[in-house]
Amino acid sequence: GNSVTQMEGPVTLSEEAFLTINCTYTATGYPSLFWYVQYPGEGLQLLLKATKADDKGSNKGFEATYRKETTSFHLEKGSVQVSDSAVYFCALNSGGGADGLTFGKGTHLIIQP
Amino acid sequence: GAVVSQHPSWVICKSGTSVKIECRSLDFQATTMFWYRQFPKQSLMLMATSNEGSKATYEQGVEKDKFLINHASLTLSTLTVTSAHPEDSSFYICSALDWRGAEDTQYFGPGTRLTVL
């Protein structure tokens, strides 16, 4: 079956630090890969996605590249801000849009001023 | 972006009672909605796929008679936890599939915290 493994937090960084949150997956076929973010008190929001190998998803300064050879989709940002503090979920979907998502456990990111 | 709401945001009930949770797509029609369950410090687990006008598809291990799903309109899906017990206490999250763009996207509700006493 499908599974997603991501680094567990909390991850605490200072403002303007470089961020990497690791995510690896196991899936049949060719899954689509996603990063979702959950700010305190809010629902999950799609941050970025990639649908095929070597695609790079990007949004709000965050990037992640679909690496089929290493089955990874690591999230990166060059300079984090306090407002980036949230829980980040890596997820995949192997059956197209009509299938539910398989999520990692989430990584709590804390950015200190 | 599209907006999905859930009601209630939190509910406390006695063991043995039933609780209904609503999931609404506010500004788009969703033929497909999903229900997830999240335990503390754990990932979201897909419970079922809800399709408008047809029976829901449940994931392996999810009791369909306990977690009743009704998707009676293009903007509303409901999850009823029947005869709730303390082990059903959890955070329930729904999502709705938006087909309008070039690529389909799931939009999530804010979740419902269920506590069974």
Side-chain angles (χ1 to χ4, degrees):
Chain A
N2 297 336
S3 68
V4 175
T5 302
Q6 63 181 103
M7 57 191 297
E8 297 192 26
V11 173
T12 304
L13 295 173
S14 297
E15 205 166 19
E16 299 184 1
F18 184 87
L19 168 71
T20 300
I21 300 178
N22 291 335
C23 172
T24 57
Y25 67 89
T26 303
T28 55
Y30 301 94
S32 295
L33 304 174
F34 306 82
W35 276 100
Y36 280 83
V37 58
Q38 186 175 33
Y39 298 103
E42 299 183 17
L44 275 76
Q45 301 174 27
L46 178 64
L47 179 60
L48 54 84
K49 70 178 183 181
T51 58
K52 61 183 186 296
D54 299 326
D55 269 2
K56 178 187 285 187
S58 61
N59 185 25
K60 299 181 180 179
F62 291 90
E63 293 183 340
T65 301
Y66 189 142
R67 301 288 188 198
K68 192 173 187 302
E69 63 276 13
T70 55
T71 61
S72 65
F73 193 54
H74 304 321
L75 182 68
E76 297 182 336
K77 186 174 185 181
S79 176
V80 293
Q81 306 299 315
V82 172
S83 57
D84 294 327
S85 299
V87 181
Y88 292 81
F89 291 91
C90 185
L92 70 81
N93 174 314
S94 63
D99 277 10
L101 294 163
T102 300
F103 283 90
K105 290 189 176 181
T107 302
H108 187 192
L109 176 64
I110 301 170
I111 307 300
Q112 297 177 334
Chain B
V3 180
V4 175
S5 70
Q6 281 184 243
H7 179 80
S9 55
W10 58 271
V11 57
I12 301 172
C13 69
K14 293 182 178 180
S15 185
T17 61
S18 295
V19 174
K20 179 184 286 188
I21 301 170
E22 295 184 347
C23 177
R24 293 182 185 272
S25 55
L26 298 185
D27 52 359
F28 67 102
Q29 294 182 331
T31 56
T32 302
M33 293 184 176
F34 302 93
W35 287 97
Y36 296 84
R37 181 174 180 178
Q38 185 179 26
F39 293 99
K41 298 185 178 181
Q42 304 240 354
S43 64
L44 284 74
M45 300 296 295
L46 178 66
M47 298 175 66
T49 301
S50 170
N51 293 298
E52 188 268 336
S54 64
K55 291 183 178 180
T57 303
Y58 291 81
E59 295 299 300
Q60 191 173 9
V62 178
E63 299 176 60
K64 62 181 180 181
D65 294 330
K66 180 163 190 64
F67 298 101
L68 300 179
I69 292 172
N70 184 14
H71 194 157
S73 80
L74 289 172
T75 59
L76 173 64
S77 175
T78 60
L79 169 68
T80 300
V81 183
T82 62
S83 186
H85 292 285
E87 58 266 29
D88 299 324
S89 298
S90 192
F91 195 56
Y92 293 89
I93 303 172
C94 74
S95 70
L97 196 59
D98 185 358
W99 295 95
R100 294 174 298 173
E103 298 175 340
D104 45 90
T105 301
Q106 283 191 42
Y107 291 94
F108 285 80
T112 297
R113 174 76 60 193
L114 170 63
T115 301
V116 185
L117 301 176

